[in-house]
Amino acid sequence: DDRVLRHAFLNSYFQTGLKNLIDVAVISRQEEKGAEALIHRYTKVDEIPFDFERRRMSVVVMDTDGKTQMVTKGAVEEMLKCCAYAECGGAIQPLGEDVRRLVLEKSAQMNEQGMRVIAVAQKTDPAPVGEFSAADKKDMVLIGFLAFLDPPKETTRAALDALREYGVAVKILTGDNEKVTRAICGQVGLRVDRILLGTQ
């Protein structure tokens, strides 16, 4: 969905923090489709940096007509906490339990295929300029997902086989969720006997 990509681009392009691989991928994809018009149409008004507790980050942009909007992207579960609405088929509707369940199911399906999933939301005219805060990240409209495939290096399986041959046990410490981790391990032939979550 080009609209989801455009919003993600505004967020990734205008944020001043360190651009991670996801930001680079979003910017690169939008540049392939044409980014100049967006860069000229919008200016950044404010931003709320990424925070490891809330796992999301926001920018506030203003278009040439003077309309402001907050664009937020982040971990699906965290984004669901700040959204009260969802855009489905071009219509905005309350984010009820059925939609919430659908969002989590779709996200889980993509994770199980080894894809990292980020949710994107927006809110029009969130607060007067200069008065934005994390509190503005509520009653947002969930507009869609970004899904990223970050395949393991081709040499990984051979490296793991060599380690196994030398009696070296391999443990993985990752910021990915358990579904993505299990899928990636499966792709490189690493047996998963036990996953220990941060909460444990």
Side-chain angles (χ1 to χ4, degrees), residues 11-12 15 17 20 22-23 47-59 70-84 100 117-123 133-140 142:
N11 179 289
S12 292
Q15 63 126 334
N20 61 29
I22 285 175
D23 293 311
E47 78 178 287
I48 302 167
F50 183 81
D51 129 13
F52 284 94
E53 204 170 310
R54 293 189 178 91
R55 296 191 298 153
R56 52 185 188 246
M57 73 87 44
S58 299
V59 297
M70 176 181 279
V71 182
T72 304
K73 72 180 188 319
V76 174
E77 302 81 4
E78 296 302 321
M79 292 295 289
L80 284 170
K81 293 176 186 173
C82 64
C83 290
R100 189 177 297 273
V117 181
I118 304 282
V120 182
Q122 70 89 28
K123 182 179 183 180
S133 70
D136 288 303
K137 293 190 201 177
K138 63 178 191 213
D139 298 334
M140 297 193 78
L142 182 70

Side-chain angles (χ1 to χ4, degrees), residues 13 16 20 45 65 81-82 86 101 106 139 149 168 200:
Y13 180 82
T16 55
N20 61 29
V45 174
D65 296 327
K81 293 176 186 173
C82 64
R101 194 164 35 253
K106 288 283 181 195
D139 298 334
L149 198 53
V168 178
Q200 297 167 310

Side-chain angles (χ1 to χ4, degrees), residues 14 19 22 29 38 79 82 160 191:
F14 285 112
K19 291 189 186 345
I22 285 175
R29 183 71 177 129
L38 284 171
M79 292 295 289
C82 64
L160 288 169
R191 217 176 84 207

Side-chain angles (χ1 to χ4, degrees), residues 94-114:
L95 184 61
E97 271 314 306
D98 51 341
V99 178
R100 189 177 297 273
R101 194 164 35 253
L102 175 69
V103 166
L104 290 170
E105 281 170 12
K106 288 283 181 195
S107 172
Q109 283 169 13
M110 289 187 275
N111 282 163
E112 282 159 11
Q113 293 166 19

